[in-house]
Amino acid sequence: MADPDPGNAISGSDVEVLAPGTQIAPGYEVVEHISRGDALDVYEVFSAERLCSCIAKTIRPDRADIPRVQARLLQEGRLLQELTHPLLVRGYETITEPQIVVIVETVTALNLEELLDERPRRLPVADVCHLGRHVAAATHYLHGQGYLHLDIRPANVLADSGLAKLIDLSLARPPGPIPRGLGSREHMAPEQAAGEPATAAADVWGIGVTLYEAVTCVRPFAPLDEHEEQVVLPEVRYLQLHRPAPPLSRWRRRLPRDFVSIVEACLQRDPGKRPSVTSLWDALGEVIGNLEPVEP
């Protein structure tokens, strides 16, 4: 069974959130509750030490005793403080008592999922390529430090003014064996869904799915045919183990062929056939260079 995904839609609305003015941790006062996932609450807080707003991530009260959730949040706090990259959100502090709270920098940006929902038109290909290169750069750095992200998807990419930052390192771990279904169901690589050893190629898949969604506003491994795919879902659970991604042309006809080839390569079922992160970064740069100065 897949692990809880702290980034999915709000649930547990009957569980109270902290009111403005409450001290969530020593020196940090709640400004407002931002979001609730399956495991975590996210707050804007005011730091008395820094005299500015920060973001605080903590475990939902009704999930506070789950060791797996505790371990993931502690790990994310540690990694965000240890790892330094312009395209990773910076961690300031991890507090363990009286509850686990991870304090990170405030980034005034929508995540890519929110941005796609709000835009009246789909993103230009050039913008998607720039975004993809930023995600690839942050991912390359993570891999160099010995970690896979394992949950690259639009909700974990902050996008603002041409800059993209990769967030949420709660699932990050070294390459190797992983539990079956570790990740977000509609975005994880087939090897994650099957519980096979994970390599850098799993994150390349995540970047590919993110690029696919960014230009189409469609999740390629969500049920697309209510009759046929709802029938197989109870049995296979993960559609990426059942079928390939629909062709990009199904949703958006006018896409550069070299861009389409990149996304198709990222979404190869065989991890060994996917490009490396650095070659993906290079290829997206070439697409940008080949585009007309103003995209129609």
Side-chain angles (χ1 to χ4, degrees):
M1 180 175 178
D3 292 306
D5 173 11
N8 278 348
I10 290 177
S11 58
S13 56
D14 55 330
V15 180
E16 290 188 3
V17 299
L18 299 177
T22 304
Q23 184 170 283
I24 192 172
Y28 295 98
E29 185 177 288
V30 171
V31 176
E32 66 172 330
H33 181 255
I34 296 175
S35 65
R36 166 162 286 173
D38 284 350
L40 302 181
D41 280 318
V42 180
Y43 293 89
E44 179 187 354
V45 297
F46 185 80
S47 167
E49 177 185 4
R50 297 175 178 84
L51 293 181
C52 69
S53 292
C54 302
I55 298 298
K57 299 180 71 172
T58 191
I59 303 172
R60 277 175 39 173
D62 57 336
R63 301 288 190 269
D65 295 331
I66 301 177
R68 180 179 64 249
V69 175
Q70 296 171 353
R72 287 182 178 177
L73 186 56
L74 286 170
Q75 171 183 270
E76 181 174 20
R78 176 179 62 83
L79 289 179
L80 288 176
Q81 287 175 251
E82 289 180 3
L83 304 176
T84 304
H85 191 280
L87 301 175
L88 287 175
V89 171
R90 180 170 48 174
Y92 291 142
E93 187 176 1
T94 299
I95 298 146
T96 58
E97 295 293 341
Q99 61 185 333
I100 301 172
V101 181
V102 172
I103 306 295
V104 303
E105 68 173 319
T106 299
V107 179
T108 56
L110 296 175
N111 67 50
L112 181 58
E113 184 175 77
E114 295 168 332
L115 180 65
L116 294 173
D117 286 341
E118 289 195 0
R119 282 181 58 88
R121 300 179 62 184
R122 289 173 292 195
L123 287 171
V125 173
D127 290 355
V128 172
C129 289
H130 281 295
L131 178 150
R133 295 190 95 207
H134 290 171
V135 175
T139 303
H140 174 67
Y141 171 75
L142 277 179
H143 292 177
Q145 301 302 306
Y147 293 96
L148 307 178
H149 188 283
L150 297 177
D151 199 19
I152 298 176
R153 56 192 173 101
N156 284 337
V157 176
L158 298 181
D160 182 44
S161 302
L163 185 70
K165 287 198 173 189
L166 188 59
I167 63 172
D168 194 350
L169 301 184
S170 60
L171 300 187
R173 59 185 61 201
I178 59 171
R180 181 178 182 271
L182 180 69
S184 299
R185 188 175 74 177
E186 294 173 357
H187 298 89
M188 69 177 72
E191 58 269 28
Q192 291 174 254
E196 299 167 357
T199 66
D203 284 342
V204 172
W205 175 282
I207 297 173
V209 172
T210 300
L211 294 172
Y212 188 111
E213 287 190 40
V215 295
T216 65
C217 298
V218 174
R219 294 183 177 183
F221 299 104
L224 301 176
D225 184 306
E226 184 174 352
H227 175 68
E228 292 183 7
E229 298 202 334
Q230 290 292 351
V231 170
V232 302
L233 268 178
E235 181 179 348
V236 301
R237 184 169 174 79
Y238 304 103
L239 288 175
Q240 52 270 63
L241 294 175
H242 180 70
R243 61 158 173 81
L248 284 164
S249 59
R250 175 173 176 176
W251 319 111
R252 187 168 176 177
R253 293 183 180 278
R254 298 183 64 186
L255 287 171
R257 183 59 224 172
D258 48 359
F259 177 83
V260 172
S261 296
I262 290 169
V263 176
E264 290 175 346
C266 291
L267 298 182
Q268 289 290 316
R269 173 67 178 86
D270 181 352
K273 295 182 178 180
R274 298 174 207 153
S276 68
V277 176
T278 51
S279 63
L280 174 58
W281 186 87
D282 287 336
L284 290 171
E286 291 176 6
V287 175
I288 295 170
N290 291 333
L291 289 171
E292 296 292 334
V294 178
E295 186 185 32

